[in-house]
Amino acid sequence: GKSGKAGAESRKQHPASATGTVAAVKASHHKVTFDHEPIPAINWPAMHMEFPAISSVDLSKVKPGEKVKFTLSGSKGSYTVQSITPAP
């Protein structure tokens, strides 16, 4: 039979992984700006963009100029940073 994969995908978002350089951190607003590489999982080109981060992400440890891996979750162009880790 037909699987309802498209419908399920739109309801449940898998985090998208990305790599980029931290451009700016606004810890007081809990936002971080990345110059990130393309993110194929969500069909995004490389961009310079600010994202909100969830409260468990410790932005005090994130420094501008650092190369990092980060994950986003969300949909329809509204994404939130779920994690930030140093890039290998």
Side-chain angles (χ1 to χ4, degrees):
K2 284 172 68 98
S3 74
K5 188 170 191 314
E9 286 295 312
S10 63
R11 279 197 301 280
K12 173 149 177 47
Q13 286 292 331
H14 298 289
S17 295
T19 306
T21 302
V22 177
V25 178
K26 288 187 196 161
S28 57
H29 294 91
H30 227 76
K31 292 189 172 177
V32 58
T33 304
F34 296 110
D35 283 310
H36 66 72
E37 293 171 13
I39 309 176
I42 51 177
N43 296 317
W44 278 10
M47 274 192 281
H48 175 94
M49 190 167 172
E50 182 181 75
F51 295 97
I54 61 170
S55 57
S56 60
V57 174
D58 186 355
L59 293 182
S60 71
K61 294 187 168 69
V62 179
K63 302 282 182 276
E66 268 187 332
K67 180 121 167 150
V68 295
K69 289 176 74 88
F70 60 98
T71 58
L72 299 173
S73 85
S75 60
K76 298 276 189 280
S78 174
Y79 288 89
T80 305
V81 175
Q82 305 295 306
S83 68
I84 301 174
T85 54

